[in-house]
Amino acid sequence: DTLGVVHSRYLPFIVTNTSLNLVPVNIAVVVMLRIADSTVLPCDTFHIVSPEALSMRKIAEVTLNELKVKAPIVVFPRVITAVAFKGIYLLSRLNTCFVGLSKKLHQYGYYMTKTYYFDTTQIQHVYGKNEYRHLFSNTSEDLRRAAIIFISKQASLAMERR
């Protein structure tokens, strides 16, 4: 993969039952413009987030499909995953050959072991609950397009490093 961590198509791709809140840039811009144009605002701070986060399993399915990797996806409990990431970190403190792996997996572990909920109340005051929800389709096609963009960006960054 693009982080230099090789993933074999014969090994399972491990995810947890967490979710990730993805907001397409074009939607974020539309929402920011709407807030900026509003004359009456209920507060000074707004969380521009999707009303429905995507499951890590769904994100993995679509991304692996776009990468043409047929690895099985296995859902591990968050506690076991957190212990595994902590174990890799501790190994890196004992043996420097694990430092690179620990650094590469750090962000991945962060998203795999925590679930965050965001308040959309203030945005819904500006938009209305149903209108705001309709901005986000969260379809597999949208996720597929995002995966393609991410993969191509990572490939171009890898080429620049060479």
Side-chain angles (χ1 to χ4, degrees):
D1 69 26
T2 57
L3 292 176
V5 178
V6 178
H7 188 272
S8 168
R9 65 181 65 234
Y10 304 108
L11 294 175
F13 191 83
I14 298 170
V15 297
T16 58
N17 58 350
T18 57
S19 57
L20 191 58
N21 197 297
L22 301 175
V23 177
V25 172
N26 59 325
I27 300 296
V29 170
V30 166
V31 172
M32 284 188 280
L33 290 173
R34 176 84 170 253
I35 292 168
D37 288 342
S38 296
T39 55
V40 178
L41 296 175
C43 64
D44 294 332
T45 305
F46 296 88
H47 297 267
I48 301 174
V49 295
S50 175
E52 294 178 27
L54 294 164
S55 75
M56 291 298 284
R57 180 182 185 90
K58 182 68 173 174
I59 293 168
E61 285 172 359
V62 172
T63 304
L64 291 175
N65 187 45
E66 285 306 312
L67 288 169
K68 311 250 183 301
V69 173
K70 302 291 185 206
I73 298 172
V74 177
V75 179
F76 268 27
R78 281 187 272 186
V79 172
I80 292 172
T81 307
V83 168
F85 281 107
K86 185 58 94 178
I88 292 169
Y89 171 75
L90 291 174
L91 274 175
S92 74
R93 304 294 282 179
L94 298 173
N95 188 334
T96 57
C97 72
F98 291 103
V99 170
L101 178 64
S102 178
K103 286 181 179 179
K104 289 174 182 174
L105 291 177
H106 177 72
Q107 282 298 97
Y108 187 65
Y110 179 77
Y111 290 114
M112 293 291 290
T113 58
K114 299 183 180 353
T115 296
Y116 298 94
Y117 299 96
F118 300 96
D119 184 11
T120 60
T121 306
Q122 307 305 343
I123 290 287
Q124 290 174 14
H125 282 295
V126 175
Y127 265 93
K129 185 175 186 173
N130 291 329
E131 185 182 355
Y132 185 67
R133 185 173 292 284
H134 287 305
L135 288 173
F136 298 87
S137 62
N138 280 350
T139 64
S140 292
E141 182 60 25
D142 290 338
L143 187 53
R144 188 183 74 74
R145 271 188 260 125
I148 290 169
I149 292 168
F150 174 76
I151 292 164
S152 64
K153 180 67 175 172
Q154 293 301 309
S156 67
L157 288 173
M159 294 299 275
E160 286 177 15
R161 282 186 241 143
R162 292 181 190 171

